[in-house]
Amino acid sequence: MEGGNSPNLQLQQLPLATAAVSVQPHTDSFSYKENLIGALLAIFGHLVISIALNLQKYSHIRLAGSKDLRAYFKTKTWWCGLFLLMLGELGVFSSYAFAPLSLIVPLSAVSVIASAIIGIIFIKEKWKPKDFLRRYVLSFVGCGLAIVGTYLLITFGPNSHEKMTGENITRHLVSWPFLLYMLVEIIVFCLLLYFYKEKNVNYIVVILLLVALLGSMTAVTVKAVAGMIVVSIQGNLQLDYPIFYIMLVCMIATAIFQATFLAQASQLYDSSQIASIGYILSTTVAITAGATFYLDFTGEDVLHICMFALGCLIAFLGVFLITRNRKKSVPFEPYISMDAMPGMQNMHDKGIAVQPDLKASFSYGALENNDTMPEIYTPATLPIVQEQHGSKGVSAPPYRVLEHSKKE
């Protein structure tokens, strides 16, 4: 009986074992395929965005250097750049529906790489080979490091996938890791905003950290909106869930405030500093948000996590080297130092030049009416020495006599 029943038992257990073995590799290969599709869409999108921005910049420069009086939006080059910009943004938006958030966000380094290469190719000056290599060696090294970091990010990126349905997003939204993360982020954001607005703490790290905190919420909501749209296209309608419109409104609001803080930072600091520091802070905060909301690194082994972190660090270093090599713009000073003019007598103590205050006016104060101006903006005067002339009956002149000693 035992010998006759054993083949039946083996035949009954064989389909179960075969099914268990065949499903798991198919799921892994499909998820890696989705990672690759999402990464390629993100790389394509960032590359096209970089080309589009340079096209629009080229359109402005060409109009400024010519006698053409047309507005920039009436040129074909600018409209071509706008079309490519929308195409690139669509590619980046679609990439969030296929790959994890923690994989897509660091790939924005492709924009920095492409901008550096385009800037070197379209440079107008002719350099000798030695001068060219010495000037752009940091850019070449930075591009190489950023490419290596991008490869490590794609190879060892997180491999967690789930359908972006309304139920899944709502479940993630009320999970305790994300609620704790949101509490910490709101407290940090309010503190930074208080010091920035009330205490006038205008450090670049403060402003870009505000941008990064808003950007992390933008990335979370973009993945939710893009994922629900893709699931709806596949036949499972998700647009009737209220969570879709909540995420859509949050995505638009955070993107607008993020652009506002970026505009304020661009008025205070150089674009190269904003690009490097902003990339590092935004990527770090967005990866943290993806790990807490979508649980991107759940089930990943230590080796993959360490290699992914190494790829991020290498990409950070590459972007920093690329942006560090850019020439910093020198602000225009709308005045001339009086002591720098040939033949002009030095009229101030200890060689300190008297310059106009840009917040008040460009006048040096000789003919300025100071009755309505604050004390801090009133022009500096030289020591006053009043001389007694004549008798007591002679009235003093209606003006003050200023004297100063001449240094031989």
Side-chain angles (χ1 to χ4, degrees):
M1 293 295 293
E2 293 180 0
N5 292 334
S6 60
N8 293 331
L9 293 175
Q10 291 178 359
L11 290 176
Q12 293 175 0
Q13 295 175 358
L14 182 61
L16 296 175
T18 304
V21 172
S22 62
V23 170
Q24 190 66 26
H26 175 72
T27 304
D28 288 341
S29 62
F30 182 71
S31 60
Y32 279 116
K33 182 180 178 181
E34 283 189 328
N35 275 13
L36 183 60
I37 293 174
L40 291 177
L41 283 173
I43 292 174
F44 169 78
H46 288 299
L47 181 62
V48 173
I49 289 173
S50 180
I51 296 174
L53 294 176
N54 280 277
L55 271 179
Q56 291 184 330
K57 182 179 180 180
Y58 172 74
S59 175
H60 288 283
I61 294 175
R62 190 176 64 175
L63 286 177
S66 64
K67 297 181 180 180
D68 193 354
L69 299 179
R70 292 182 301 169
Y72 64 90
F73 54 85
K74 294 183 179 180
T75 60
K76 296 180 180 179
T77 307
W78 188 86
W79 281 103
C80 181
L82 181 62
F83 172 76
L84 291 178
L85 181 64
M86 295 175 63
L87 181 63
E89 292 290 350
L90 180 61
V92 176
F93 180 80
S94 303
S95 66
Y96 282 93
F98 293 94
L101 185 149
S102 301
L103 173 61
I104 299 299
V105 171
L107 296 181
S108 58
V110 176
S111 295
V112 183
I113 300 173
S115 297
I117 295 175
I118 292 173
I120 294 175
I121 291 176
F122 290 98
I123 190 171
K124 299 298 181 181
E125 295 87 353
K126 294 182 180 180
W127 301 88
K128 295 180 180 180
K130 292 183 179 180
D131 296 337
F132 185 83
L133 290 177
R134 183 172 62 251
R135 181 176 178 81
Y136 293 101
V137 63
L138 288 179
S139 295
F140 288 127
V141 174
C143 288
L145 290 175
I147 292 173
V148 172
T150 303
Y151 173 77
L152 292 177
L153 291 172
I154 297 175
T155 305
F156 298 98
N159 197 30
S160 60
H161 294 272
E162 65 175 346
K163 287 188 176 182
M164 292 291 100
T165 60
E167 293 86 354
N168 290 337
I169 294 176
T170 305
R171 177 170 51 84
H172 288 305
L173 190 63
V174 298
S175 62
W176 69 265
F178 182 71
L179 293 177
L180 181 60
Y181 171 80
M182 280 297 301
L183 178 62
V184 174
E185 179 168 329
I186 291 174
I187 294 175
V188 174
F189 183 84
C190 292
L191 289 176
L192 291 174
L193 189 62
Y194 170 76
F195 283 108
Y196 175 60
K197 293 294 184 180
E198 300 296 332
K199 301 297 183 179
N200 294 325
V201 180
N202 295 330
Y203 298 118
I204 187 172
V205 176
V206 174
I207 303 176
L208 294 183
L209 195 54
L210 290 170
V211 174
L213 293 174
L214 291 171
S216 65
M217 290 297 99
T218 304
V220 168
T221 53
V222 164
K223 181 172 178 60
V225 172
M228 294 181 75
I229 291 176
V230 170
V231 172
S232 300
I233 294 174
Q234 292 175 352
N236 187 6
L237 186 62
Q238 301 294 318
L239 303 184
D240 55 349
Y241 284 91
I243 191 64
F244 173 80
Y245 300 98
I246 294 175
M247 289 292 183
L248 182 63
V249 172
C250 292
M251 179 185 71
I252 297 174
T254 53
I256 292 174
F257 285 108
Q258 186 180 355
T260 302
F261 284 115
L262 274 177
Q264 295 175 5
S266 63
Q267 295 177 357
L268 299 174
Y269 298 97
D270 189 69
S271 60
S272 60
Q273 295 178 338
I274 296 175
S276 59
I277 300 176
Y279 171 74
I280 294 173
L281 293 177
S282 298
T283 302
T284 303
V285 178
I287 290 176
T288 306
T292 54
F293 188 87
Y294 295 107
L295 305 177
D296 287 343
F297 295 95
T298 301
E300 297 291 334
D301 55 5
V302 179
L303 177 61
H304 278 73
I305 296 177
C306 292
M307 293 302 294
F308 180 81
L310 179 63
C312 289
L313 293 177
I314 294 176
F316 291 166
L317 181 59
V319 170
F320 174 76
L321 291 178
I322 293 172
T323 56
R324 185 176 178 80
N325 193 44
R326 294 183 180 178
K327 292 179 65 177
K328 297 182 179 180
S329 59
V330 179
F332 173 71
E333 297 180 356
Y335 54 80
I336 301 175
S337 177
M338 290 188 295
D339 58 350
M341 297 177 62
M344 176 63 69
Q345 181 181 352
N346 193 342
M347 298 179 61
H348 21 86
D349 299 334
K350 298 181 181 180
I352 302 176
V354 177
Q355 304 293 0
D357 195 301
L358 298 182
K359 296 181 181 178
S361 85
F362 292 151
S363 171
Y364 280 95
L367 303 176
E368 184 75 12
N369 183 13
N370 301 325
D371 294 335
T372 59
M373 294 181 63
E375 183 180 356
I376 189 174
Y377 293 139
T378 56
T381 59
L382 298 175
I384 300 174
V385 178
Q386 296 183 355
E387 296 182 354
Q388 300 286 338
H389 294 282
S391 60
K392 296 183 181 179
V394 180
S395 61
Y399 53 87
R400 296 181 299 178
V401 180
L402 305 179
E403 292 185 358
H404 57 275
S405 61
K406 299 180 182 179
K407 296 183 179 179
E408 298 295 337

